[in-house]
Amino acid sequence: MAATTADGSKVVGGGEKSNVDEESKMITLFSSDGERFEVTQEAAAMSQTIHHMMEDGCVDDEGVHLPNVGSSILAMVIEYCNRHVASPDEKEDIRSFDAGFVNVEHHTLFDIIRAANYLDVKELMDLCCQTVADSIKSKSVEEIRELFGIVNDFTPEEEAEIRKENQWAFE
Amino acid sequence: MPPGGGAGGGEHGCTVPGHPPATGRLGRAEDAPPHPPPPPPPPFPATDVSLEMKKKQKQEDEQEQQPLGSLPEGPLVDILSRVPYKSLCRFKCVSKPWLALCSDPKLRKRCPQTLSGFFFNKSKCGLSFRNLSGKGAPMVDPSLPFLGGKYERVEVEQSCGGLLLCKYWESYKGRNKKKYGYAVCNPATGQWKVLTLIVLPDPVDGVPVIYDDIDDFFLAFDAANPSRFVVFAPLSNSFGEFAQVAIFSSDTRRWTSVENEWGYKNVLIGKPECALLNGTMHFGTHYGTIVTVDMEGKVWREFDMPDDTPDKHNYTSIGQSQGCLYAWQIDNDNDCKLCVWVLQDYATGKWTLKHTANVSEIFGRQLDEDDHSYTLFAIHPDCNMVFITDSENMTLSYDMDNQKVSAISTSRTEFVDGALYVPCFAEWLAEGH
């Protein structure tokens, strides 16, 4: 639910700009590609990084620059935080939201993990890491290499040795 | 940690978060300028500082990208700690950095474990191990190399939660063959604790009594609370009756005794007819009942075995699967019928008949020609699968959900005493802790 305000910035998640009501006070986040996102303090606080900055009184009117998070991923992370802050008690709804949220291509999931790691959003990390773990547990060694973009640095003899030691795991 | 104090400084600093560090916990960029005191603060943050950090970030990213792949180490460790141990061992082949990661003992302790195979005793060589798949080199070395060849022979009596109750002989020849001891072993961590002789004050006059002819020990170990294990030893007379139960606890390293509150007449079937469920040890008795006691020896209960067993002359075996107590019996004398019950409602003690099957059929034999004596020696802790042996040359797994049969062993093996093994890499607290 993004609306565009007069100055062209996106307002994500609604909420009025009010300096009186602390809870709906907005905070501005800047993605690596310079896009502006307005988020409620509550949602932003799901990021421990941002939370600590807010607690220390370090976030001023300018906002927070996130040079490591691109706009499309930041939008997704904000969507997650908004959803979890909005109705934390509706377990069924949250569960189905989460399931839909992680139903993305693996490279997007990895991007979200990187962002969640950087922003220190524990719940999102747990969700994504568990999703990845569940999807890779049955994968072969070759599939893992492909998925993570890893070059095999074993010699054929070395790899055969390790395979032999752990033969039971390949059955 | 940078020292606190200074205007606007302190632990968190007033800086843009820096690169994600290797451990996955966010650090703070140490080279960004500290927030100067008001007034007036500079524009936050300076654009060129932001570019600097972007460059540094890219460098770090590339460095990190090479060894472990497209994710930094912190999240990767998080993911790997959630995959089953079997997958972790397979991923050791991915690359050298992954080999290091997957071999890390801390990771091994956290990752979920499941049934990996069975320990059993071979008449020729003693302790042996068979993988669950029935194939390949054993995933755990049954010669227990960490013992350094101290004992000539080791056998398994019972397993619980990743620990084994073992019988050992220093010398296995001639007259020395009669001299054996008992120990608790963790094959995954190499821990080995010999159970000392049971010496307890006589309940009447307090004089120390040595109980050196006790042969029924029952090991209780909960992998969810791995700091200690407990061994129960009913102090039975020759009829199997006991008024006291000796309890060994790994944290006190001593035997104590408690009064048997089940009633004198409850004779236990003996090892390994026991199952640990929710911190409570369950024992089968010869009287069609199950008696239970918690690991502290304080809460004593009793309830009935299923009463619709086809063979009234033989006992029913018990085991634990998916958080419930199971009971089973094979009517070898009549039609080799297998019955499996589950105690779905623990509070009422009401058994539900879960599955019946004909074991001859499972083994692909004709009922009227089949004079084998079958034993269902284990039930899979995580699914509806059971393991049956004909005690001669065939051991199978049988899936109760889809009736699928797989061979575990087709050579002459002694699986009747097969003890299922779910590795546990946590260590019980030993001397000095």
Side-chain angles (χ1 to χ4, degrees):
Chain A
M1 256 178 15
T4 310
T5 60
D7 61 358
S9 62
K10 286 197 177 66
V11 181
V12 181
E16 301 82 33
K17 253 198 176 143
S18 157
N19 289 326
V20 179
D21 187 345
E22 276 300 316
E23 282 199 358
S24 61
K25 187 171 176 196
M26 305 299 278
I27 160 178
T28 307
L29 303 178
F30 292 91
S31 65
S32 60
D33 44 349
E35 274 206 42
R36 229 181 117 116
F37 294 84
E38 299 276 336
V39 201
T40 62
Q41 270 198 1
E42 210 189 334
M46 278 191 79
S47 154
Q48 285 302 301
T49 315
I50 300 178
H51 175 69
H52 285 311
M53 290 173 62
M54 293 193 303
E55 280 206 314
D56 291 348
C58 294
V59 179
D60 58 13
D61 292 334
E62 169 78 14
V64 182
H65 284 252
L66 304 169
N68 293 350
V69 190
S71 51
S72 58
I73 297 297
L74 184 55
M76 291 183 76
V77 174
I78 289 171
E79 187 195 350
Y80 176 91
C81 294
N82 281 335
R83 187 67 178 80
H84 274 248
V85 147
S87 45
D89 296 325
E90 284 159 41
K91 295 228 164 92
E92 276 305 315
D93 285 348
I94 293 241
R95 236 199 302 268
S96 74
F97 167 81
D98 283 354
F101 186 82
V102 290
N103 190 15
V104 292
E105 299 224 5
H106 76 263
H107 65 85
T108 308
L109 202 52
F110 283 10
D111 285 339
I112 297 174
I113 287 177
R114 273 190 282 267
N117 182 44
Y118 174 75
L119 292 168
D120 200 357
V121 184
K122 186 179 183 305
E123 300 88 333
L124 184 53
M125 274 297 276
D126 283 344
L127 171 66
C128 293
C129 288
Q130 189 61 52
T131 304
V132 175
D134 290 338
S135 72
I136 68 169
K137 66 184 177 194
S138 317
K139 286 201 189 299
S140 71
V141 173
E142 293 73 25
E143 287 169 324
I144 293 288
R145 287 185 189 133
E146 208 186 298
L147 188 67
F148 288 90
I150 295 168
V151 173
N152 180 11
D153 55 353
F154 286 122
T155 66
E157 293 80 24
E158 285 169 337
E159 188 178 337
E161 181 69 39
I162 302 170
R163 231 173 242 264
K164 193 168 148 211
E165 275 169 20
N166 296 279
Q167 204 183 338
W168 65 279
F170 286 88
E171 277 140 19
Chain B
M1 292 284 188
E11 187 177 74
H12 299 303
C14 297
T15 60
V16 172
H19 55 276
T23 55
R25 269 203 69 245
L26 275 190
R28 311 290 166 204
E30 280 149 43
D31 49 359
H35 204 63
F44 177 87
T47 323
D48 51 343
V49 172
S50 173
L51 271 178
E52 273 273 322
M53 283 193 290
K54 246 187 179 166
K55 247 190 263 171
K56 187 174 180 190
Q57 168 65 60
K58 191 155 186 274
Q59 264 173 15
E60 304 266 0
D61 260 349
E62 278 170 16
Q63 262 176 357
E64 285 183 73
Q65 231 151 33
Q66 269 157 7
L68 295 171
S70 45
L71 282 180
E73 186 173 327
L76 187 59
V77 168
D78 194 333
I79 291 169
L80 289 178
S81 71
R82 298 164 193 264
V83 302
Y85 181 58
K86 189 173 175 179
S87 310
L88 208 63
C89 287
R90 211 164 56 239
F91 298 164
K92 285 179 183 175
C93 290
V94 168
S95 72
K96 289 181 185 168
W98 272 59
L99 172 63
L101 214 58
C102 294
S103 308
D104 184 0
K106 287 198 291 282
L107 201 61
R108 225 167 35 177
K109 277 190 199 168
R110 288 160 66 185
C111 69
Q113 302 290 352
T114 186
L115 179 63
S116 59
F118 304 91
F119 279 98
F120 61 101
N121 302 316
K122 263 193 156 118
S123 50
K124 269 214 169 127
C125 50
L127 191 64
S128 307
F129 185 85
R130 190 117 191 130
N131 295 333
L132 182 60
S133 64
K135 296 181 284 185
M139 71 148 288
V140 58
D141 187 346
S143 70
L144 308 179
F146 50 86
L147 293 176
K150 190 170 172 188
Y151 306 110
E152 210 173 289
R153 186 177 173 92
V154 175
E155 287 182 1
V156 63
E157 296 276 291
Q158 180 224 333
S159 68
C160 193
L163 297 190
L164 306 179
L165 177 70
C166 295
K167 202 163 165 178
Y168 66 87
W169 288 257
E170 274 169 18
S171 169
Y172 194 60
K173 294 176 191 48
R175 289 162 64 198
N176 282 334
K177 206 166 168 176
K178 297 244 164 59
K179 225 177 141 221
Y180 53 80
Y182 287 92
V184 175
C185 170
N186 186 337
T189 62
Q191 285 183 296
W192 174 269
K193 178 80 187 95
V194 169
L195 295 180
T196 51
L197 204 57
I198 304 177
V199 180
L200 293 164
D202 182 272
V204 176
D205 57 14
V207 173
V209 178
I210 300 175
Y211 297 87
D212 57 0
D213 58 352
I214 302 295
D215 254 341
D216 261 349
F217 294 94
F218 300 88
L219 169 64
F221 175 71
D222 187 354
N225 298 301
S227 61
R228 75 177 192 126
F229 66 80
V230 158
V231 179
F232 295 94
L235 301 174
S236 324
N237 60 19
S238 45
F239 298 107
E241 298 161 338
F242 54 97
Q244 300 271 321
V245 176
I247 302 182
F248 181 92
S249 178
S250 64
D251 51 3
T252 61
R253 297 180 292 280
R254 289 186 312 121
W255 288 99
T256 53
S257 80
V258 290
E259 196 185 311
N260 168 11
E261 291 181 37
W262 295 316
Y264 197 64
K265 282 230 152 285
N266 269 312
V267 175
L268 303 185
I269 297 168
K271 60 197 170 210
E273 286 303 329
C274 59
L276 184 71
L277 183 65
N278 301 326
T280 299
M281 198 64 163
H282 298 64
F283 304 88
T285 74
H286 277 298
Y287 296 93
T289 57
I290 294 174
V291 292
T292 79
V293 66
D294 67 326
M295 280 171 76
E296 277 74 46
K298 296 212 172 98
V299 183
W300 302 70
R301 291 211 173 96
E302 180 183 329
F303 54 91
D304 289 333
M305 294 264 207
D307 52 12
D308 51 343
T309 59
D311 183 356
K312 300 288 182 207
H313 300 289
N314 277 313
Y315 58 81
T316 314
S317 295
I318 57 173
Q320 182 278 127
S321 173
Q322 302 160 85
C324 288
L325 195 66
Y326 279 71
W328 59 82
Q329 195 189 62
I330 297 178
D331 190 359
N332 280 305
D333 295 333
N334 292 317
D335 54 0
C336 292
K337 183 174 169 199
L338 164 68
C339 294
V340 179
W341 296 266
V342 61
L343 187 63
Q344 238 141 29
D345 190 351
Y346 195 86
T348 62
K350 190 168 176 295
W351 292 93
T352 309
L353 181 65
K354 185 184 171 76
H355 192 82
T356 59
N358 183 287
V359 183
S360 304
E361 269 174 38
I362 293 174
F363 277 72
R365 293 166 179 157
Q366 298 284 58
L367 174 57
D368 39 9
E369 295 168 2
D370 193 355
D371 59 355
H372 288 92
S373 188
Y374 296 99
T375 305
L376 195 160
F377 61 93
I379 182 165
H380 196 299
D382 306 317
C383 61
N384 293 321
M385 183 183 283
V386 294
F387 303 93
I388 310 175
T389 182
D390 66 2
S391 315
E392 265 181 56
N393 54 18
M394 204 142 129
T395 303
L396 304 174
S397 70
Y398 171 69
D399 189 328
M400 292 189 281
D401 289 339
N402 55 25
Q403 289 82 55
K404 189 161 175 268
V405 175
S406 278
I408 302 280
S409 168
T410 52
S411 65
R412 188 175 166 76
T413 50
E414 288 92 325
F415 263 103
V416 176
D417 295 324
L420 51 75
Y421 179 62
V422 179
C424 174
F425 290 96
E427 299 195 344
W428 72 73
L429 297 179
E431 263 98 339
H433 283 79

